């Protein structure tokens, strides 16, 4: 006896993805295009060590700058949040919330001014 296939939406199958072995992965190609190439390490022991020390110092300076930016952003947040140290994500979320509160305050003020001029 022949098996019958169900009709309707149940009969639909997802299309099969055809991947060609010769084509490079698009995601990998995009990631590779975005990645900044690291400068090649100079050959030799002492020079290589100095290069690594300089690179590490540049990274430390970059991280200090980012942390300083977060500290400055925390300084501009409302005082209710000053009771504890906020993480970076909490700082960004608090800043977004504070900006929204300020926008709502401005919009309400503009509405009140508009009603007063009638």
């Amino acid at each position: 006896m022949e098996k019958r296939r169900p009709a309707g939406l149940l009969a639909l199958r997802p299309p099969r993805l055809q991947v060609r072995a010769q084509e490079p992965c698009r995601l990998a190609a995009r990631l590779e295009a975005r990645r900044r190439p690291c400068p090649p390490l100079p050959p030799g022991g002492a020079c290589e060590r100095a290069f690594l020390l300089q690179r590490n110092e540049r990274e430390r300076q970059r991280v200090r700058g980012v942390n300083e930016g977060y500290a400055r952003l925390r300084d501009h947040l409302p005082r209710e949040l000053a009771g504890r140290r906020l993480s970076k994500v909490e700082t960004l979320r608090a800043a977004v919330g504070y900006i929204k509160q300020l926008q709502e305050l401005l919009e309400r003020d503009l509405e009140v001014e508009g009603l007063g001029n009638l």
Side-chain angles (χ1 to χ4, degrees), residues 20-95:
R20 295 181 187 169
Q22 297 170 350
E23 291 182 10
C25 179
R26 289 182 184 175
L27 178 61
R30 280 188 293 194
L31 291 175
E32 193 65 34
R34 275 192 248 159
R35 190 180 307 159
R36 293 183 195 160
C38 292
L41 289 175
C47 189
E48 185 174 319
R49 174 125 173 95
F51 175 81
L52 292 174
L53 290 174
Q54 288 175 347
R55 185 181 66 186
N56 291 345
E57 183 57 32
R58 282 192 307 267
E59 177 64 12
R60 279 192 290 276
Q61 292 293 336
R62 186 192 70 79
V63 169
R64 281 188 200 118
V66 169
N67 290 338
E68 182 181 323
Y70 278 105
R72 290 179 64 192
L73 182 57
R74 282 185 201 103
D75 290 342
H76 294 306
L77 293 176
R79 296 293 168 214
E80 301 94 44
L81 300 172
R84 63 184 186 94
R85 187 180 185 297
L86 300 173
S87 70
K88 291 176 182 178
V89 171
E90 291 170 333
T91 300
L92 293 174
R93 287 182 180 152

Side-chain angles (χ1 to χ4, degrees), residues 91-107:
T91 300
L92 293 174
R93 287 182 180 152
V96 168
Y98 186 50
I99 290 169
K100 286 181 181 179
Q101 286 178 346
L102 293 175
Q103 285 175 331
E104 291 170 4
L105 184 65
L106 285 173
E107 288 170 3

